[in-house]
Amino acid sequence: MTDGTGLVQFLNAIAEIAQGANEPSITPVWCRELLSARNPPRITCTHREYEEVPHTKGTIISPNDLQERSFFFGNAEIATIRRRFVPHHLGPYTSFEIIAACLWRCRTIALQMDPNQEVRMMVLVNGRAKFNPPIPNGYYGSVFGFPAALTTAGKLCGNPLTYALELVRKAKAEVSGLGNEREEENVVNEGN
């Protein structure tokens, strides 16, 4: 299993070898144990992304009732959203945060959900740099988190876009590595 970053590293390594290199410029790291579960397992945070979605009060939309459309967000479109909906005095938001928050809010408004209906936005977060020490370059495995931002349709639609932006940013921040726990566990295991 791999994520996008690992797949790109793997394909680059294959391309380098196909072009005549004796070995890839980034040596593969085969440390499958890097992301092993704690022993014994310990829950350290709430994983809303795996919770069962509560009863939807009749707001489930059949795929047959939806239409697929492609939207392209370039620099000009993102700059327009930033200028019109994100106050300058607030910290900088990434393009991803702006697009995710905007689409989540617009979709919720379009579906005309019950204001008390719980809505969530799940995002993919690259967790490679969130570990201490970081996951080594050359690790092809999957290192992403899939956190969920939650609120009610009424709060999402009734507040400015910055409300959704903060929820998306907070969800992204919830993805964390093991930090120094990995080092602490190694010390504990070596001492036994």
Side-chain angles (χ1 to χ4, degrees), residues 114-182:
D114 179 303
N116 296 316
Q117 176 68 46
E118 181 182 275
V119 292
R120 57 184 69 204
M121 167 63 95
M122 291 190 253
V123 296
L124 282 174
V125 177
N126 183 348
R128 289 173 183 271
K130 297 192 178 258
F131 286 82
N132 183 14
I135 299 295
N137 208 8
Y139 182 76
Y140 293 163
S142 185
V143 190
F144 67 87
F146 197 54
L150 268 69
T151 189
T152 64
K155 287 180 182 176
L156 184 63
C157 300
N159 281 300
L161 182 63
T162 51
Y163 176 77
L165 280 164
E166 284 301 315
L167 290 174
V168 169
R169 179 175 277 176
K170 181 181 171 200
K172 284 176 52 184
E174 288 175 356
V175 173
S176 64
L178 295 175
N180 292 325
E181 290 178 21
R182 198 164 69 199

Side-chain angles (χ1 to χ4, degrees), residues 13-31:
I14 296 297
E16 289 173 356
I17 292 170
Q19 293 172 354
N22 290 329
E23 60 185 46
S25 58
I26 299 174
T27 306
V29 174
W30 302 107
C31 299

Side-chain angles (χ1 to χ4, degrees), residues 57-155:
K57 300 179 186 172
T59 58
I60 291 180
I61 308 297
S62 163
N64 297 332
D65 295 335
L66 298 177
Q67 294 183 10
E68 277 189 38
R69 296 286 186 261
S70 296
F71 296 92
F72 298 94
F73 290 87
N75 292 336
E77 290 80 9
I78 294 170
T80 299
I81 295 170
R82 247 186 242 278
R83 190 173 50 255
R84 293 198 59 200
F85 300 107
V86 182
H88 295 290
H89 66 279
L90 294 178
Y93 292 99
T94 66
S95 296
F96 173 82
E97 291 166 344
I98 289 173
I99 292 170
C102 188
L103 291 177
W104 182 27
R105 190 168 182 266
C106 288
R107 180 183 187 275
T108 304
I109 290 168
L111 292 176
Q112 300 176 347
M113 295 180 155
D114 179 303
N116 296 316
Q117 176 68 46
E118 181 182 275
V119 292
R120 57 184 69 204
M121 167 63 95
M122 291 190 253
V123 296
L124 282 174
V125 177
N126 183 348
R128 289 173 183 271
K130 297 192 178 258
F131 286 82
N132 183 14
I135 299 295
N137 208 8
Y139 182 76
Y140 293 163
S142 185
V143 190
F144 67 87
F146 197 54
L150 268 69
T151 189
T152 64
K155 287 180 182 176

